Amino acid sequence: MTVTPVYRVSSTSRGGGRDGEVVSDSGRIDLTLAPPVEMGGNGDGSNPEELFSAGWAACFMGALRLVSKNAGVAVPEGTEVRVTVGIGKDDADDGFGLTGDIDVYLPGLDTAQANELALAAHGFCPYSKATRGNIVSTVTSRV
């Protein structure tokens, strides 16, 4: 696959990684990071999984809008994409791995059409493509 970027952005992590800060070059992101309580931290900041879930959800929504438009379907008012990212021990190498669960809410559409659009968006979304085969993920849709 060849990609010709039309936009590039950089962010810098300082401090202790999960216990430090992250700042984007634009300054729009300037966050204190802290491990969640479930991972032994105080939970008083954001974390990489929270940032990843936000980016994936926004990207997926954009993909959903595009595939819906191309299919001649208007995205209903109130449509939502919720991405839940999990982190835990990876039994394969005693390291850590991620999971991703994508829940697409398309109110007013029929179930088959909602499923079709959600799966098409998953096939098109750059975050979904980047994680395919690397992260166990699920896609569900609700109407």
Side-chain angles (χ1 to χ4, degrees):
M1 173 171 66
T2 302
V3 176
T4 304
V6 295
Y7 172 72
R8 293 172 60 96
V9 62
S10 297
S11 296
T12 304
S13 174
R14 296 184 186 95
R18 289 182 168 277
D19 206 2
E21 70 173 335
V22 65
V23 179
S24 65
D25 285 358
S26 69
R28 289 184 194 101
I29 296 174
D30 187 349
L31 298 172
T32 299
L33 301 177
V37 173
E38 296 85 351
M39 294 180 71
N42 63 19
D44 288 341
S46 188
N47 60 69
E49 293 72 38
E50 184 174 58
L51 296 169
F52 186 51
S53 72
W56 198 352
C59 186
F60 198 99
M61 178 65 88
L64 180 64
R65 289 191 172 284
L66 184 62
V67 299
S68 295
K69 179 182 174 185
N70 290 344
V73 178
V75 173
E77 180 83 21
T79 293
E80 296 178 356
V81 173
R82 179 184 181 95
V83 175
T84 302
V85 171
I87 185 170
K89 283 290 199 176
D90 180 349
D91 296 335
D93 64 6
D94 203 33
F96 287 89
L98 298 174
T99 61
D101 298 307
I102 303 163
D103 179 64
V104 181
Y105 175 56
L106 289 157
L109 295 186
D110 67 56
T111 302
Q113 188 175 45
N115 287 336
E116 183 179 319
L117 292 173
L119 290 175
H122 189 50
F124 188 79
C125 172
Y127 275 62
S128 293
K129 285 195 226 178
T131 60
R132 191 164 292 117
N134 300 306
I135 293 177
V136 175
S137 62
T138 62
V139 178
T140 56
S141 63
R142 298 178 291 118
V143 293

